[in-house]
Amino acid sequence: MAEITKETTIGEILRTAPNVAPLLMEAGMHCLGCPASQMESLEEAAMVHGIDIDDLMKAIQNA
């Protein structure tokens, strides 16, 4: 899996690590297909959805 950081965009994650998509959906990011989300960083998307970025990063690293 490609390295995912807080600065990685949702679009990059979906292209390089599609297996992370279900984890993001479970966390509450239900708009992964939205055109605007493709350019958002993981940290920006987490903030918009009220998700703790550090908890999300741990979940991604453990996946």
Side-chain angles (χ1 to χ4, degrees):
M1 177 168 66
E3 180 183 1
I4 297 174
T5 68
K6 294 176 184 180
E7 291 80 30
T8 305
T9 66
I10 299 298
E12 289 175 286
I13 293 170
L14 296 178
R15 283 189 301 279
T16 62
N19 59 310
V20 174
L23 186 123
L24 297 178
M25 294 286 287
E26 289 173 18
M29 292 185 188
H30 298 269
C31 58
L32 297 180
C34 171
S37 74
Q38 301 304 299
M39 301 316 251
E40 278 185 320
S41 71
L42 185 59
E43 187 169 34
E44 291 167 332
M47 183 177 60
V48 167
H49 290 89
I51 299 167
D52 184 281
I53 187 61
D54 294 321
D55 290 344
L56 183 59
M57 291 302 299
K58 288 176 190 171
I60 290 171
Q61 291 169 358
N62 291 331

